[in-house]
Amino acid sequence: MSTFALLIFALTAVAGVILALEVLNGKLASWSLSLAHASAGALALVLLAIEVFTGHGASRATAALAILVVAAVGGFYLASKHLMKQRPPKLAVVIHAGVAVAGFLTLATTLFHS
């Protein structure tokens, strides 16, 4: 299940790069792509949480889940700005992306070093 979650997170990251580039270029990000990005991320989080909470995940998977939940909280902040039709601070976008990448890499190391 972690492998499937990792694949979904990878697709989510592709959408995230597109969204981040829009915001970093001073535009309001695409709402439909934002929803797809959030939905895919939520699905992957749920799959990873099921694995961790059923005792099938390694300790690094638990760490990855924690990091990715922090990224999701940042994503909620970005979405709240979007709902108000405001561009979020660029620093918030960079921090969200950085935390998400850290969570993704933590999960990837869990899968490839087990």
Side-chain angles (χ1 to χ4, degrees):
M1 196 174 312
S2 290
T3 303
F4 191 54
L6 186 68
L7 290 173
I8 296 171
F9 279 128
L11 293 173
T12 302
V14 171
V17 167
I18 294 167
L19 292 167
L21 288 174
E22 288 178 353
V23 172
L24 295 175
N25 285 319
K27 300 176 187 170
L28 191 60
S30 162
W31 185 244
S32 58
L33 187 57
S34 294
L35 288 176
H37 174 73
S39 298
L43 172 61
L45 268 179
V46 167
L47 291 174
L48 183 56
I50 290 169
E51 185 155 336
V52 167
F53 292 123
T54 58
H56 297 292
S59 62
R60 273 188 262 165
T62 303
L65 178 62
I67 295 166
L68 290 163
V69 165
V70 171
V73 170
F76 284 120
Y77 167 75
L78 297 175
S80 74
K81 289 295 200 180
H82 201 160
L83 279 171
M84 294 184 285
K85 301 201 184 310
Q86 299 173 357
R87 285 188 310 272
K90 292 177 181 180
L91 181 59
V93 172
V94 171
I95 291 170
H96 168 69
V99 173
V101 167
F104 179 86
L105 293 175
T106 302
L107 182 58
T109 61
T110 300
L111 295 175
F112 298 120
H113 289 97
S114 40

